[in-house]
Amino acid sequence: MKILIINAGSSSLKYQLLNSKTKEVIAKGNCEKIGLSKPFISYKHNGQEQTFPGAKNHEEAIEKVLQILTNKDYGVLKSLDEIEAVGHREITGGWIYNKSELITDELLKQLKKFDELAPLHNPANVLGMVACRKVMPNTPQVAIFDTAFHQTMPEKAYTYAIDYKDSQKYHIRKYGFHGSSHRFITLEAAKVLGKKVKDVNLIIAHLGNGSSITAVRGGQSVDTTMGLTPLQGLVMGTRCGDIDPTVVQFLMNKKKMTVDEVMNYLNKKSGLLGVSGVSSDHREVEAAAKEGNKRAELADEMLCYSVRKHIGSYMAVLNDVDAVVFTGGIGENSAATREKIISNMENLGIVLDKKKNKNFKRGQVELISDAKSKVKIYVIPTNEELMMAMDTEEIVKKLKKSK
Ligand code: AMP
């Protein structure tokens, strides 16, 4: 089944056309700077890359993407009818959705409720859905929630220790994110471990620009590091991760910042970027650290330490762990980071095979633990778009059966 996956942001719209059966990516790209000056659309297919003039709004962006995909010279589709379904990434399903859903008028009404939870992402995600339904009214569309996989967390893990009445009334709680990635890795890890999904216990470290670790018991998320928003947890590219909330008050007083300014600072100017002063990109921070930049070295050490600490805490949560899995841009590509995170964990039963870790070839599933390691260590490339396509296909197949 050919499925179009859409990830709409406020001024961008990423698209990927996949064949859910063969897992092949047929074409992909990004509509950038939507509504801004010099918007453009990138388009990759068959190893080629092209750029086209962009769009003034999301509806036009989708129209243009569909025109590109069906163009008779460079397109990959004969007709739009070949697209059997569209899957949309939705940042949050809030307290309501614990699985992917068919997009209906009623669902869109419900999603509006989440603007407060994710003011930057939710309105943009919904905009993409509305625009796509307008342009492709007869194609079934599915919302895939970043938070859905974590809705199995027990109340003690997702509740913040504030006045219970407030958490109930305003839905203030840990939701968790990167759900499609953590779910995909859970399914893949079960395969390589030769176990049923319901029997796998994992610690999944998704380390990229945004990073989160999830504790999986019996194939289900029982805790994760991101919280009400993706700001909580690990040290990330530009996000601070866990801090004492009093830092907010301190910054407001010292730097005469508003709450919004402080939140922008913690989300966009902190993490690797804030500590190193070099970059939010881990490769650049690693390179600067190698050249002797002390702040870059500290930033890298802090990232590894925050991951290490959470692996330790999830070992305590789960007790019995089949595997620690690394994924995401940093987790899949940086052998040095994996080694720093995992060294001296022998007493927890986690022992890295340093050679295997170093010699590992990118883009494949690899066991990198020592033979004597009680807990296996894997690198498994994530594929969030494929997970979204698989979900979309399942829902659309059910829909077709029910007709
Ligand atoms: P993602 O958000 O999953 O695309 O991951 C992006 C992050 O992965 C960036 O910080 C990159 O610098 C980092 N990354 C990608 N390749 C490497 C590499 N070979 N070594 C270190 N970090 C890498």
Side-chain angles (χ1 to χ4, degrees):
M1 192 184 277
K2 284 180 187 157
I3 293 172
L4 182 64
I5 297 296
I6 299 282
N7 183 0
S10 54
S11 62
S12 71
L13 186 143
K14 293 196 189 98
Y15 64 93
Q16 195 168 118
L17 182 68
L18 288 134
N19 184 326
S20 57
K21 200 171 165 204
T22 61
K23 303 182 178 176
E24 174 205 4
V25 178
I26 303 164
K28 66 177 183 179
N30 192 1
C31 308
E32 296 197 42
K33 301 175 86 180
I34 298 173
L36 304 173
S37 78
K38 299 188 184 145
F40 63 94
I41 302 175
S42 62
Y43 172 56
K44 284 187 201 165
H45 68 106
N46 297 327
Q48 297 172 40
E49 196 166 348
Q50 283 172 271
T51 308
F52 298 92
K56 57 180 184 299
N57 57 45
H58 286 68
E59 202 177 309
E60 193 183 56
I62 289 171
E63 275 169 357
K64 288 195 166 183
V65 166
L66 297 179
Q67 279 163 13
I68 292 168
L69 293 174
T70 51
N71 183 283
K72 65 176 178 12
D73 296 323
Y74 47 75
V76 288
L77 298 172
K78 284 200 183 74
S79 125
L80 279 186
D81 296 341
E82 286 181 55
I83 302 178
E84 288 192 60
V86 183
H88 293 263
R89 183 175 195 164
E90 160 62 48
I91 181 85
T92 182
W95 58 98
I96 301 178
Y97 300 107
N98 60 9
K99 59 175 180 44
S100 301
E101 295 281 345
L102 190 72
I103 299 174
T104 59
D105 292 342
E106 178 53 31
L107 183 99
L108 288 173
K109 225 186 273 169
Q110 295 283 353
L111 295 189
K112 276 266 140 226
K113 290 182 182 164
F114 305 148
D115 279 358
E116 250 182 14
L117 284 181
L120 290 179
H121 295 93
N122 194 58
N125 295 157
V126 173
L127 200 62
M129 295 176 201
V130 171
C132 206
R133 283 181 98 212
K134 215 166 167 188
V135 179
M136 307 171 80
N138 300 320
T139 310
Q141 319 234 350
V142 171
I144 301 106
F145 304 99
D146 252 21
T147 52
F149 182 63
H150 301 296
Q151 300 317 296
T152 44
M153 284 188 288
E155 196 175 8
K156 66 183 175 199
Y158 71 68
T159 306
Y160 290 125
I162 57 172
D163 187 327
Y164 189 71
K165 294 190 289 301
D166 288 334
S167 28
Q168 292 295 300
K169 184 171 175 194
Y170 302 114
H171 308 288
I172 303 170
R173 47 161 285 182
K174 176 180 276 207
Y175 289 103
F177 295 86
H178 286 145
S180 294
S181 175
H182 289 296
R183 193 150 83 86
F184 181 81
I185 296 295
T186 302
L187 301 182
E188 291 294 298
K191 273 189 227 159
V192 294
L193 287 162
K195 284 190 151 194
K196 290 194 174 125
V197 175
K198 69 173 186 42
D199 295 329
V200 287
N201 294 346
L202 304 166
I203 297 174
I204 302 170
H206 175 118
L207 311 178
N209 269 326
S211 300
S212 65
I213 303 192
T214 295
V216 172
R217 181 188 288 125
Q220 297 189 326
S221 169
V222 290
D223 205 348
T224 192
T225 53
M226 283 179 170
L228 175 74
T229 73
L231 182 58
Q232 193 184 338
L234 307 171
V235 173
M236 301 177 229
T238 60
R239 287 173 237 158
C240 61
D242 293 337
I243 54 166
D244 181 340
T246 314
V247 173
V248 175
Q249 182 195 32
F250 225 87
L251 282 169
M252 288 174 75
N253 289 338
K254 293 283 179 198
K255 293 183 65 117
K256 307 283 172 256
M257 289 164 117
T258 63
V259 172
D260 285 352
E261 284 167 344
V262 175
M263 293 322 292
N264 188 54
Y265 173 105
L266 298 176
N267 271 293
K268 304 249 170 82
K269 297 179 182 161
S270 301
L272 291 181
L273 174 67
V275 178
S276 71
V278 172
S279 172
S280 63
D281 188 287
H282 185 252
R283 263 170 302 197
E284 290 177 22
V285 174
E286 260 187 341
K290 260 194 203 140
E291 281 166 16
N293 182 321
K294 291 287 168 212
R295 275 177 60 183
E297 197 181 318
L298 175 64
D300 189 39
E301 276 178 8
M302 286 170 68
L303 180 142
C304 295
Y305 184 62
S306 75
V307 176
R308 189 178 162 79
K309 227 169 31 174
H310 282 94
I311 290 177
S313 70
Y314 287 163
M315 284 296 289
V317 166
L318 296 170
N319 190 25
D320 191 8
V321 179
D322 295 307
V324 171
V325 184
F326 286 97
T327 194
I330 302 172
E332 291 169 33
N333 296 311
S334 178
T337 305
R338 292 193 299 263
E339 186 175 328
K340 276 183 216 158
I341 292 167
I342 293 295
S343 59
N344 300 322
M345 283 198 183
E346 291 81 3
N347 289 340
L348 288 177
I350 311 177
V351 189
L352 189 73
D353 182 324
K354 290 185 183 174
K355 240 191 189 159
K356 274 192 196 163
N357 180 49
K358 257 201 197 117
N359 297 338
F360 159 73
K361 284 190 208 79
R362 294 173 62 165
Q364 63 187 45
V365 174
E366 187 79 45
L367 180 71
I368 54 166
S369 46
D370 190 278
K372 65 174 176 290
S373 185
K374 192 165 166 275
V375 177
K376 292 193 164 72
I377 310 168
Y378 281 98
V379 180
I380 301 182
T382 195
N383 194 337
E384 291 169 279
E385 288 79 12
L386 180 60
M387 187 74 252
M388 289 192 260
M390 282 153 64
D391 256 18
T392 303
E393 180 181 33
E394 198 183 317
I395 288 183
V396 170
K397 274 188 174 161
K398 267 189 205 149
L399 182 73
K400 281 186 178 161
K401 260 192 197 156
S402 71
K403 275 185 180 168

